[in-house]
Amino acid sequence: MSSVESHQEQLSQSDPSPSPNSCSSFELIDMDASSLYEPVSPHWFYCKIIDSKETWIPFNSEDSQQLEEAYDNGKDCNGRVVPTDGGRYDVHLGERMRYAVYWDEPASEVRRCTWFYKGDKDNKYVPYSESFSQVLEETYMLAVTLDEWKKKLESPNREIIILHNPKLMVHYQPVAGSDEWGSTPTEQGRPRTVKRGVENISVDIHGGEPLQIDHLVFVVHGIGPACDLRFRSIVQCVNDFRSVSLNLLQTHFKKAHENHQIGRVEFLPVNWHSPLHSTGVDVDLQRITLPSINRLRHFTNNTILDVFFYNSPTYCQTIVDTVASEMNRIYKLFLQRNPDFKGGVSIAGHSLGSLILFDILTNQKDSLGDIDSKKDSPSVFMDQGDTPTLEEDLKKLQLSEFFSIFEKEKVDKEALALCTDKDLQEMGIPLGPRRKILNYVQTRRNSVGINRPSPQSAAGMNMSNIPKESEHCGDTNETGNDEYLDVGIGQVSVKYPRLTYKPEIFFAFGSPIGMFLTVRGLKRIDPNYKFPTCKGFFNIYHPFDPVAYRIEPMVVPGVEFEPMLIPHHKGRKRMHLELREGLTRMSMDLKNNLLGSLRMAWKSFTRAPYPALQASETVDETEAEPESSSEKPSDVNTDENPVAVKEDMPPIHVGMLNGGQRIDYVLQEKPIESFNEYLFALQSHLCYWESEDTVLLVLKEIYQTQGIFLDQPLQ
């Protein structure tokens, strides 16, 4: 303490007279009120590089308290690790460094902060180093205790800090090129404000996250390393998604939250772009890329080409292996760090990421424990459960007497799938049984129609050996064992890895799944089809999203119906949509009344001139008129106003892909977006990360599996 006092005395001797403003402020301070010294309350911060600038971000209150308790438990903090941010980061207290747990991210510096100064441009407060903050605090303590102010200190960067009084402390930067005599602090430009304690600076400090984790959701990104218009990574976008979910849990699940029935849903990102582009393919592409329009070509190589990589058998194998292995690795690590976790797991994919997950789920097995490496191919999915033999199939068709003929000709189920009507006729099978057998083979093919285009080379995109009309049973291009042949350019079937868990729900955001299935040659998804290991499937999209496609018309191709409208998170439709529907209904009513009046006038002109019939016809027509006027206009305007008709439509069954529930869910566009669809098209594809409506639908469906519902169900 004596060294600090001597240092202060030396500096005070050369301390120039303070400015008039500082003197007046000093004189206005009641020194009796500040004579009692109270130690400063520290708060922990970590440093992030945002837009090439260092930004200090405070830990939430619970994490800061845990770090402070660990700091107080012993001065020797080496080897002490404190989990923060819901367990997604570990702080090594001795190193003062913060490391990500589940993904790769540069380590960030951690600091125990007590004193701050305002930055140059962004006006954000920057913490001093811990050592210099301690010097400032000791100086402040002496000034308060001895009631001696106008203390001056020099920081390690030769910056001058002057403590005029408890409410006026300034920081001067050194001026380059000062003479050998030096310059006084008042001559060094505009001073910067110095604050003591985090409570005196403007910074948002959030509360901690609930310790209880009810559900785990893996989120897979789409093309490119950036996931929104601000060119942020999947980690940052998922952070926004998680923050929105925490807020909605407190507002829309308030009763369950107060009763401690729920905790939170953990969202963890899965990155496959970096491993793909670390294979050396970028170097190969750079050699063949033209030098013109360099930025555009770099953007294309880094983003749009990911779609073509997924169509390549070599890089598609890398992508699916990376996604599946990352989800398995993170899940195993998550269980190690959360041994009391008893919740379920769901998966979500954005854009191309949803297609990757769709293909992986399509090629899973029912039994997770019985995985045969020799049969680890997509064709295994074709036969779910115990496959009946040919004899059992014939017995089911009541054609057991013909089994001896097939046995004599050495025809098994695979060979029967290749037989044509002429082949069966040559074996001596009559017309009726032939038709039954051929119809059964065709039905069996259609029942697995969803997976016939999927297990192709390069993740289901090479259709060279799959007929365009897969419904025809007499196709000779298909091998009996459902294996797809090499087409001569090095393409082989992709081996889809197995997940070590069964996802409960699959959420697709802005997904092109429907388009890719159509391009692969699939015309229809069998209504009885469902994922082998996943029960739920929700296709969520913005109406202006140029990449999104529907799924339900492929399940029910003969019926035209609208997707499910996602309710607004405030419990009602957006005002402009209600106004649009109101105007549509009003125009329909006016049209119905006009048509009814014209019909009545026309019938009055064409009525038969017999007095005996006139009275009876008038009564009959007035009774029948309301029914006719209500039916005919609705038939005419079915296509013009689907919203009004939707209210009277019976529930639509769209198969078992989502357990009998609806699959397609559309967001409500904002009023400003409705003015120009094309202007907001790109933004619509990247809007899901901060969309309260999307997050609320995800939370609602997840917690419904646990018997927990919204406080007020949204209509």
Side-chain angles (χ1 to χ4, degrees):
M1 197 65 71
S2 59
S3 61
V4 175
E5 293 177 357
S6 60
H7 180 66
Q8 297 302 324
E9 291 176 359
Q10 293 176 1
L11 290 175
S12 61
Q13 293 176 0
S14 59
D15 185 18
S17 59
S19 62
N21 293 334
S22 61
C23 290
S24 60
S25 301
F26 172 70
E27 293 171 356
L28 293 175
I29 296 298
D30 184 5
M31 298 309 301
D32 295 335
S34 59
S35 60
L36 298 178
Y37 169 76
E38 294 183 0
V40 65
S41 298
H43 196 92
W44 292 76
F45 283 66
Y46 64 92
C47 182
K48 293 274 291 185
I49 305 298
I50 301 177
D51 297 333
S52 302
K53 295 188 299 183
E54 289 187 355
T55 302
W56 287 91
I57 303 173
F59 285 95
N60 62 59
S61 55
E62 291 186 4
D63 289 343
S64 180
Q65 184 178 355
Q66 289 183 3
L67 290 169
E68 185 63 20
E69 291 176 356
Y71 174 83
D72 292 337
N73 286 338
K75 296 298 182 183
D76 186 12
C77 299
N78 293 330
R80 192 183 300 271
V81 178
V82 179
T84 61
D85 299 277
R88 296 181 296 275
Y89 290 88
D90 281 342
V91 173
H92 293 238
L93 212 58
E95 304 176 17
R96 292 292 198 274
M97 298 298 290
R98 173 177 174 264
Y99 297 93
V101 174
Y102 298 107
W103 56 83
D104 293 331
E105 181 180 311
S108 52
E109 181 186 353
V110 173
R111 188 174 293 180
R112 182 177 180 265
C113 305
T114 54
W115 286 76
F116 306 85
Y117 66 93
K118 184 171 289 188
D120 293 328
K121 298 179 180 179
D122 53 3
N123 291 327
K124 291 183 179 180
Y125 283 93
V126 180
Y128 288 105
S129 65
E130 294 187 31
S131 58
F132 188 67
S133 294
Q134 185 176 359
V135 174
L136 284 170
E137 182 65 20
E138 292 174 353
T139 306
Y140 179 85
M141 181 184 65
L142 289 176
V144 172
T145 305
L146 302 178
D147 195 12
E148 296 179 358
W149 292 93
K150 293 187 294 185
K151 299 291 185 179
K152 183 174 65 175
L153 295 87
E154 184 176 347
S155 71
N157 297 329
R158 300 188 60 80
E159 298 173 340
I160 303 300
I161 295 91
I162 301 177
L163 308 183
H164 290 294
N165 55 59
K167 293 186 178 180
L168 181 61
M169 295 174 282
V170 293
H171 177 136
Y172 293 97
Q173 287 183 304
V175 176
S178 59
D179 55 19
E180 59 181 353
W181 299 100
S183 56
T184 61
T186 54
E187 299 173 352
Q188 294 183 355
R190 184 178 179 181
R192 296 189 291 187
T193 306
V194 176
K195 293 293 183 180
R196 174 179 179 265
V198 70
E199 63 274 3
N200 294 320
I201 65 175
S202 57
V203 62
D204 294 330
I205 300 177
H206 302 283
E209 301 178 14
L211 297 178
Q212 176 186 342
I213 300 177
D214 304 318
H215 204 85
L216 176 63
V217 180
F218 293 111
V219 184
V220 180
H221 65 87
I223 62 173
C227 297
D228 66 351
L229 291 177
R230 287 175 282 178
F231 299 98
R232 297 185 304 168
S233 65
I234 179 64
V235 174
Q236 295 171 304
C237 291
V238 172
N239 286 343
D240 280 348
F241 202 87
R242 188 187 305 107
S243 299
V244 174
S245 71
L246 292 174
N247 294 332
L248 291 176
L249 286 176
Q250 296 179 359
T251 57
H252 290 69
F253 294 86
K254 188 175 182 180
K255 185 180 298 183
H257 188 269
E258 292 176 350
N259 296 334
H260 302 286
Q261 294 178 331
I262 63 173
R264 63 184 175 93
V265 177
E266 181 62 281
F267 297 90
L268 296 179
V270 177
N271 181 15
W272 56 266
H273 182 269
S274 299
L276 170 66
H277 288 262
S278 63
T279 58
V281 64
D282 290 346
V283 178
D284 298 335
L285 284 174
Q286 189 61 34
R287 289 200 299 264
I288 60 176
T289 301
L290 301 181
S292 58
I293 52 174
N294 185 39
R295 292 185 179 181
L296 181 58
R297 296 188 191 278
H298 175 74
F299 173 80
T300 302
N301 292 348
N302 211 27
T303 55
I304 300 177
L305 285 189
D306 286 345
V307 178
F308 297 94
F309 284 137
Y310 191 64
N311 298 341
S312 162
T314 302
Y315 297 108
C316 174
Q317 188 70 62
T318 302
I319 293 174
V320 295
D321 287 345
T322 300
V323 171
S325 62
E326 274 294 288
M327 290 196 294
N328 289 337
R329 180 189 66 84
I330 296 175
Y331 180 66
K332 181 180 179 181
L333 181 58
F334 178 83
L335 293 182
Q336 293 175 357
R337 296 176 63 88
N338 301 272
D340 298 330
F341 176 72
K342 304 297 181 183
V345 183
S346 294
I347 56 178
H350 176 242
S351 189
L352 182 63
S354 63
L355 177 65
I356 299 171
L357 292 177
F358 184 88
D359 287 340
I360 291 176
L361 289 179
T362 301
N363 292 275
Q364 294 298 296
K365 290 184 177 181
D366 289 327
S367 176
L368 293 176
D370 184 17
I371 300 178
D372 188 356
S373 60
K374 294 182 180 180
K375 298 181 180 180
D376 190 19
S377 64
S379 61
V380 177
F381 175 73
M382 304 289 291
D383 298 326
Q384 303 180 19
D386 297 331
T387 304
T389 62
L390 178 59
E391 185 177 6
E392 293 173 346
D393 288 341
L394 292 176
K395 185 178 181 180
K396 186 186 302 183
L397 297 174
Q398 298 180 353
L399 300 175
S400 301
E401 64 271 19
F402 298 104
F403 178 70
S404 58
I405 298 178
F406 290 119
E407 189 176 20
K408 180 181 179 181
E409 297 290 339
K410 297 182 179 181
V411 175
D412 55 7
K413 290 185 65 173
E414 288 75 14
L416 182 61
L418 299 175
C419 290
T420 62
D421 182 75
K422 184 178 180 181
D423 296 330
L424 297 177
Q425 184 178 3
E426 291 178 353
M427 284 188 284
I429 299 177
L431 177 62
R434 289 204 309 269
R435 291 303 177 190
K436 283 187 177 182
I437 294 173
L438 293 176
N439 181 69
Y440 175 74
V441 173
Q442 180 179 359
T443 303
R444 180 174 175 270
R445 285 177 176 173
N446 292 339
S447 66
V448 292
I450 180 69
N451 21 326
R452 183 154 301 276
S454 294
Q456 84 299 28
S457 0
M461 289 304 298
N462 177 23
M463 302 299 297
S464 61
N465 54 344
I466 300 177
K468 295 181 180 180
E469 298 294 334
S470 61
E471 294 83 3
H472 294 317
C473 62
D475 224 318
T476 59
N477 288 336
E478 300 175 5
T479 58
N481 56 359
D482 295 328
E483 293 179 356
Y484 293 87
L485 303 178
D486 178 41
V487 296
I489 55 174
Q491 292 178 325
V492 294
S493 296
V494 173
K495 295 183 178 180
Y496 288 90
R498 308 301 177 190
L499 301 177
T500 56
Y501 52 86
K502 292 185 177 181
E504 293 191 8
I505 306 177
F506 168 36
F507 299 98
F509 306 139
S511 172
I513 293 176
M515 180 269 291
F516 271 85
L517 293 180
T518 303
V519 170
R520 292 172 180 178
L522 183 69
K523 294 186 175 181
R524 181 174 179 267
I525 299 176
D526 188 83
N528 296 322
Y529 171 74
K530 58 183 179 180
F531 293 124
T533 59
C534 185
K535 300 177 182 178
F537 175 37
F538 290 86
N539 182 36
I540 304 170
Y541 61 92
H542 191 282
F544 303 156
D545 190 340
V547 182
Y549 290 82
R550 292 191 62 184
I551 299 293
E552 292 175 340
M554 299 189 69
V555 183
V556 191
V559 182
E560 293 185 4
F561 54 93
E562 294 295 309
M564 292 291 290
L565 186 66
I566 299 177
H568 192 264
H569 65 281
K570 293 185 179 180
R572 57 174 294 172
K573 289 184 179 179
R574 295 186 184 272
M575 187 175 296
H576 70 288
L577 296 180
E578 291 185 347
L579 180 62
R580 183 190 304 170
E581 292 184 5
L583 293 175
T584 306
R585 289 194 183 96
M586 185 173 64
S587 64
M588 281 193 62
D589 293 339
L590 291 175
K591 189 181 298 184
N592 293 344
N593 294 335
L594 179 61
L595 291 176
S597 301
L598 292 176
R599 190 179 298 109
M600 288 290 294
W602 175 255
K603 288 186 177 181
S604 65
F605 287 125
T606 59
R607 185 172 294 140
Y610 295 101
L613 300 176
Q614 187 171 358
S616 61
E617 287 180 356
T618 304
V619 174
D620 295 338
E621 288 169 0
T622 54
E623 293 178 354
E625 191 63 34
E627 181 180 0
S628 62
S629 63
S630 62
E631 290 178 358
K632 292 184 179 179
S634 62
D635 295 337
V636 173
N637 296 283
T638 300
D639 296 333
E640 297 178 4
N641 185 27
V643 178
V645 179
K646 183 177 65 175
E647 297 178 356
D648 300 329
M649 288 179 60
I652 300 174
H653 183 73
V654 290
M656 299 304 298
L657 195 56
N658 191 25
Q661 302 182 59
R662 294 292 300 273
I663 300 173
D664 293 336
Y665 287 79
V666 60
L667 292 166
Q668 302 179 35
E669 71 272 15
K670 298 178 181 178
I672 191 174
E673 295 174 343
S674 60
F675 286 112
N676 193 322
E677 301 177 1
Y678 297 94
L679 184 62
F680 294 94
L682 180 58
Q683 178 180 336
S684 300
H685 183 59
L686 306 172
C687 72
Y688 306 99
W689 307 114
E690 299 178 359
S691 169
E692 292 92 344
D693 300 346
T694 301
V695 179
L696 186 58
L697 177 62
V698 171
L699 294 177
K700 180 174 74 73
E701 295 301 330
I702 286 177
Y703 278 108
Q704 276 186 1
T705 62
Q706 304 178 12
I708 298 175
F709 302 91
L710 293 169
D711 292 340
Q712 294 181 354
L714 302 179
Q715 301 296 332

